[in-house]
Amino acid sequence: MKANCNSLGKRLMLLSLFAVLSLPLFLSSCDGIDCTINNVVTLHVGFYSSEGTELAYADTLTITAAGTDSVLLNRGVRKSAVELPMSFDAKADTLSFSFDGYVITLRVAKTNKPHFESPDCPIVVYHELEGLDFDDPLGQVDSIVIVRKSVNNEPLENIRFYFAD
Amino acid sequence: MNRLRTFVSILLISLATSSLMAREHKEVIPKAPLFCGAAVFGDLSGPVMLAVGSKFSQLEVGARLNFRDHYFPLCELGIGESTREGQEQNNRFHTRAPYFRVGMDYNFNRKHNGNRLMGGIRYGFTSFKYDFQNPDFQDPIWGGSQKGLDLRGQQGRAQWLEFTVGCETKIWSFIRLGWNLRFKARLHQKKSEFGEPYYIPGFGKNGSSTFGGTVNLIFDVGRTSKKNKVIDVSKTLIKNNQ
């Protein structure tokens, strides 16, 4: 019986030794860079008819960031929704929506809040929408409304365009 | 979910081993005294992690009581630290704070021979401050430079549960060596509005769950260390059987 106990003790000692030696490997294997896959914060804009049904706009659509040479969407076709990056620092962004034959200019006022996830991941900037106004010289749009103020990395709609019939 | 499955597998293997050990020794096991002593212990893995420059480490000590050589109510306290610099982003995270755990271990080994196969549960909590800094960064679409963050003293708080499995053995007289693996499930955290901490002292890398482990050097104090009464009971029985 004593022999059994001793051999059991030796086995446990070996197990302990194994654990001590393998623990650093075990712990290091748990580490990794796991940034959010979709770490781009975008403004989600949806297009609707005046009745509120989703509208896949048949014309080509180009969206540019006013004051820059950045094209956010180049000749998109049959788009019912678009995702647009916002500026990190500015208090308001001006976006130019160029449909075939007319242009709608949208200004969005916002606050900006930097957000970190991990030392290995890039900083993202969240936004809180404070208001908007738009220029629509040809009267193609009934209204543009904010449906969700928080702009973060959740894929939820923020702004709706209601087009006139 | 994969982490939980792995831990449950380890637990089942341990319990199966315990069951086999019990079958090997079919003699009647005497009941150990109600109070079998106390012990203090320290984690050896923390200083090793600190020495090898790990991304986070902890210095931890604890104390426990021993009832019937099966029930071990315990408390653990330590200091957790992490200083982490991002490899590509030049971001920096830092925290150093104390943490506390209370809980209980159960010894599955029915024989009182000094070897113990332990399973247990802990409740851990900590309140800490953390810093996050990053350099200026560029806006690739709209142009311009965003001033970097220098957030110091962000307040964090966390509570979690730990499920442990491990074993320990007597090395010499009143000294034991033991290890355990831990599955940790975060119950609650309070975080800064600018983002959650990369590391929670005592819990580990932040997430809904994580794994951990300790290698403990254990010192029996009091009744067990002076008289080894628990082991004496077993030896007496062995003599009687012979």
Side-chain angles (χ1 to χ4, degrees), chain B residues 32 79 85 121 151 168 178:
Chain B
I79 294 176
E85 290 189 17
I121 188 168
L151 304 170
E168 64 180 57

Side-chain angles (χ1 to χ4, degrees), chain B:
Chain B
M1 188 53 94
N2 281 339
R3 286 176 176 169
L4 186 59
R5 271 190 211 137
T6 309
F7 187 80
V8 168
S9 304
I10 292 169
L11 192 63
L12 290 175
I13 290 166
S14 304
L15 290 177
T17 310
S18 166
S19 169
L20 283 173
M21 281 161 57
R23 278 185 201 173
E24 278 178 18
H25 313 292
K26 287 184 179 173
E27 74 276 13
V28 179
I29 309 295
K31 220 173 188 179
L34 176 64
F35 181 65
C36 298
V40 292
F41 53 88
D43 176 25
L44 300 177
S45 66
V48 172
M49 290 171 75
L50 199 63
V52 299
S54 177
K55 289 160 190 167
F56 43 82
S57 61
Q58 71 277 332
L59 296 174
E60 182 177 309
V61 294
R64 72 182 186 195
L65 300 174
N66 178 350
F67 294 105
R68 298 263 185 229
D69 204 31
H70 278 300
Y71 304 96
F72 297 84
L74 55 84
C75 65
E76 297 168 339
L77 59 98
I79 294 176
E81 182 188 14
S82 173
T83 301
R84 175 91 170 99
E85 290 189 17
Q87 292 167 352
E88 294 174 7
Q89 304 295 329
N90 293 322
N91 301 334
R92 185 176 184 276
F93 173 87
H94 172 75
T95 187
R96 180 191 292 152
Y99 61 88
F100 307 91
R101 296 191 200 104
V102 292
M104 194 168 87
D105 278 343
Y106 179 79
N107 174 18
F108 290 98
N109 186 6
R110 292 167 59 211
K111 288 178 64 62
H112 310 298
N113 55 14
N115 301 314
R116 291 170 184 156
L117 182 65
M118 307 287 251
I121 188 168
R122 316 259 191 286
Y123 164 75
F125 58 98
T126 183
S127 179
F128 59 103
K129 290 188 173 177
Y130 57 100
D131 305 333
F132 188 87
Q133 293 146 296
N134 80 303
D136 295 356
F137 55 103
Q138 299 292 318
D139 187 334
I141 307 290
W142 292 81
S145 175
Q146 169 76 34
K147 196 174 183 329
L149 298 179
D150 187 8
L151 304 170
R152 293 172 194 248
Q154 302 296 302
Q155 183 67 49
R157 206 177 297 149
Q159 301 169 53
W160 65 94
L161 277 182
E162 296 184 10
F163 301 94
T164 72
V165 60
C167 64
E168 64 180 57
T169 190
K170 188 175 168 182
I171 296 177
W172 174 77
S173 184
F174 60 93
I175 300 176
R176 294 170 178 277
L177 185 66
W179 59 266
N180 62 59
L181 293 177
R182 300 174 180 219
F183 174 75
K184 306 179 183 189
R186 194 183 64 202
L187 299 175
H188 171 76
Q189 75 162 337
K190 178 184 177 290
K191 61 187 180 184
S192 154
E193 60 180 321
F194 294 102
E196 60 183 33
Y198 167 73
Y199 165 83
I200 295 175
F203 179 79
K205 190 176 176 185
N206 199 358
S208 59
S209 67
T210 188
F211 273 120
T214 59
V215 179
N216 288 328
L217 190 61
I218 306 159
F219 300 94
D220 285 333
V221 293
R223 191 172 181 174
T224 307
S225 63
K226 284 177 185 170
K227 299 181 181 175
N228 283 332
K229 276 197 171 180
V230 176
I231 295 167
D232 284 347
V233 168
S234 177
K235 282 178 180 172
T236 308
L237 187 81
I238 290 163
K239 274 182 188 174
N240 290 342
N241 286 343
Q242 286 168 348

Side-chain angles (χ1 to χ4, degrees), chain A residues 52-70:
Chain A
T53 53
E54 200 172 81
L55 190 70
Y57 205 81
D59 292 341
T60 59
L61 170 61
T62 297
I63 305 173
T64 56
T68 73
D69 55 1
S70 297

Side-chain angles (χ1 to χ4, degrees), chain A residues 7-41:
Chain A
S7 66
L8 186 62
K10 279 175 189 169
R11 275 182 295 186
L12 284 174
M13 279 291 287
L14 281 173
L15 275 173
S16 299
L17 191 64
F18 171 75
V20 171
L21 293 174
S22 62
L23 195 63
L25 288 174
F26 173 77
L27 290 174
S28 63
S29 70
C30 293
D31 194 27
I33 297 173
D34 48 2
C35 300
T36 312
I37 295 169
N38 181 17
N39 67 350
V40 179
V41 174

